[in-house]
Amino acid sequence: MKVLVTGGAGYIGSHMVLCLLEAGHDVVVLDNLANSSAESLRRVEELTGKHPEFIELDLLDALGVDNLFASGAFDSVIHFAGFKAVGESVAQPLKYYHNNIVGTLNLLASMDKHGVRSLVFSSSATVYGASEEVPLIEKMPLDATNPYGRTKEQIEDILSDLGASDPTWRVALLRYFNPVGAHESGRIGEDPSGIPNNLLPFVAQVAVGRREKVMVFGNDYPTPDGTGVRDYIHVMDLAAGHLAALGYLGSHAGVFTWNLGTGNGSSVLEVIQAFGDAAGKPIPFEFAPRRPGDAAVSYADPSAALADLGWSAHRSLAQMCADHWRWQESNPNGYAAS
Ligand code: NAD
Ligand code: UFG
């Protein structure tokens, strides 16, 4: 297949591009490099010996996107491009609604016009909001609690409406839990700009000496050790889930929703311990107040993806930390030095 990957230079996208190339697909990456470096794609080429075509383009450039589809002859699109920082979305909601929603509408309009009606979309477990019921199941009511999460919920609605209007659309809504880790080579990985918002990249930067200690947000949650519990999933398992979804869409029209998680929860303290074991050094940490908006516990029921796609995540927390650490240790400043 010829697959367009929007946001393909980013963290998850670059691992996806690698998996697509290894599976024998032709890949075109569209990215405006707003939160990434083209160095990731150079390294994917080095790892696979295959060339992903790269188009530096903003999804907000509707004419540019349409010109790409006019000549692209794509079979399918995997759509990662968007902004993802929860706190920034609260401070700058218009930036998030504009980029994520308008960018997606531009993409969908061109796909529809040029008859490319197969799409895999990056949704997020954030659409479940602060649900107190776990595990999280696809049919539960959605209740995103911040503008970023609402862009995901709204795009899910847009895609469901599109599928209802025209049964030839084939759409997978993939709700990711907490993607972490890196390709086992340590050549590509997550490279956040500024202070990391998420736990694993923060812990990794402490381990490599870029930051002094981890602030653990809350130790009074109703969990076994009092810290927040999440369903961490290895980014390579996540990419494999996309390949499975793409395969499913080849023989099924309609709009489908799947959780992509392991089904297991790990606490903040368990993650800090596992990362310390992987790095061979203790990770200094300190308890701090809860972070507003955080759920106590979030983990997936991943049984629908197993039943429909034959997919499940199999990499352990220890492997996630080992691979994340290999990437961080060999690239202490991410792609910046390259
Ligand atoms: P990322 O920031 O590394 O990748 C997103 C990419 O999209 C970046 O390369 C960025 O430059 C590009 N981009 C943003 N706006 C664009 C635009 N208007 N035009 C073209 N390119 C644009 O993020 P990621 O962690 O790889 O996440 C990928 C997707 O998965 C996002 O949609 C994100 O919301 C979703 N997701 C991520 C997580 C997570 O924890 N990483 C969890 C759930 C869902
Ligand atoms: N945490 C800390 N210290 C930190 C960072 C995080 O203690 O410095 C804690 C949080 O309180 C939480 C856990 O670590 O208990 C995980 O936090 P993350 O920020 O890594 O992940 P979240 O589950 O809060 O959110 C992430 C993404 C969202 C996405 C959501 C569900 O940030 O964009 O997963 O996919 F929507």
Side-chain angles (χ1 to χ4, degrees):
M1 284 206 282
K2 186 170 180 189
V3 183
L4 177 69
V5 182
T6 78
Y11 169 43
I12 305 170
S14 55
H15 290 81
M16 187 71 238
V17 171
L18 183 144
C19 290
L20 285 164
L21 291 171
E22 284 185 338
H25 299 294
D26 288 336
V27 180
V28 178
V29 171
L30 177 165
D31 202 301
N32 65 357
L33 304 180
N35 193 40
S36 53
S37 159
E39 174 64 13
S40 64
L41 297 175
R42 202 192 62 70
R43 294 192 186 184
V44 165
E45 183 164 350
E46 166 198 296
L47 289 166
T48 59
K50 295 177 181 173
H51 178 67
E53 190 182 334
F54 174 52
I55 312 286
E56 188 172 343
L57 184 65
D58 194 320
L59 278 181
L60 297 176
D61 175 0
L63 192 60
V65 172
D66 206 59
N67 286 337
L68 180 61
F69 275 89
S71 59
F74 302 117
D75 297 300
S76 196
V77 177
I78 305 184
H79 178 33
F80 294 103
F83 294 147
K84 62 166 184 176
V86 172
E88 189 185 48
S89 83
V90 174
Q92 301 182 62
L94 296 182
K95 175 177 169 179
Y96 273 68
Y97 286 113
H98 189 61
N99 192 57
N100 294 6
I101 305 282
V102 177
T104 300
L105 289 175
N106 288 343
L107 175 69
L108 295 175
S110 290
M111 289 179 68
D112 199 40
K113 180 173 160 191
H114 297 281
V116 183
R117 299 199 182 89
S118 166
L119 177 79
V120 177
F121 173 62
S122 302
S123 189
S124 167
T126 194
V127 297
Y128 295 112
S131 166
E132 283 177 11
E133 221 183 308
V134 280
L136 294 157
I137 305 173
E138 288 85 348
K139 63 174 196 288
M140 283 179 171
L142 303 188
D143 185 23
T145 56
N146 56 70
Y148 162 69
R150 279 191 276 275
T151 69
K152 294 296 181 194
E153 206 178 313
Q154 289 168 8
I155 293 168
E156 287 200 6
D157 286 343
I158 290 167
L159 289 166
S160 297
D161 289 343
L162 195 55
S165 75
D166 176 348
T168 66
W169 274 89
R170 297 157 185 268
V171 178
L173 308 176
L174 302 184
R175 294 182 182 153
Y176 313 159
F177 279 70
N178 291 60
V180 298
H183 185 256
E184 60 178 13
S185 65
R187 294 291 292 156
I188 57 172
E190 184 168 14
D191 182 19
S193 53
I195 301 170
N197 297 305
N198 300 117
L199 181 63
L200 253 288
F202 200 102
V203 171
Q205 291 193 5
V206 171
V208 84
R210 279 173 68 179
R211 303 190 187 275
E212 193 193 336
K213 62 187 167 206
V214 182
M215 304 307 286
V216 176
F217 300 145
N219 62 342
D220 56 352
Y221 284 108
T223 60
D225 66 18
T227 66
V229 167
R230 295 291 183 276
D231 185 343
Y232 297 92
I233 175 169
H234 196 294
V235 65
M236 294 299 292
D237 280 335
L238 191 72
H242 289 64
L243 271 188
L246 202 59
Y248 187 91
L249 295 182
S251 52
H252 298 79
V255 180
F256 309 93
T257 307
W258 290 291
N259 284 339
L260 296 185
T262 64
N264 303 313
S266 303
S267 74
V268 176
L269 291 182
E270 285 170 338
V271 169
I272 290 174
Q273 178 68 45
F275 206 96
D277 292 346
K281 55 177 105 170
I283 309 291
F285 67 88
E286 189 177 301
F287 292 121
R290 292 182 182 192
R291 187 171 63 179
D294 272 359
V297 180
S298 165
Y299 59 89
D301 176 341
S303 56
L306 179 61
D308 298 340
L309 306 176
W311 170 90
S312 62
H314 64 266
R315 292 169 175 86
S316 65
L317 181 63
Q319 189 168 355
M320 298 177 210
C321 292
D323 291 342
H324 206 116
W325 173 239
R326 191 176 302 109
W327 150 255
Q328 185 72 71
E329 189 184 27
S330 49
N331 302 271
N333 296 307
Y335 294 117
S338 308

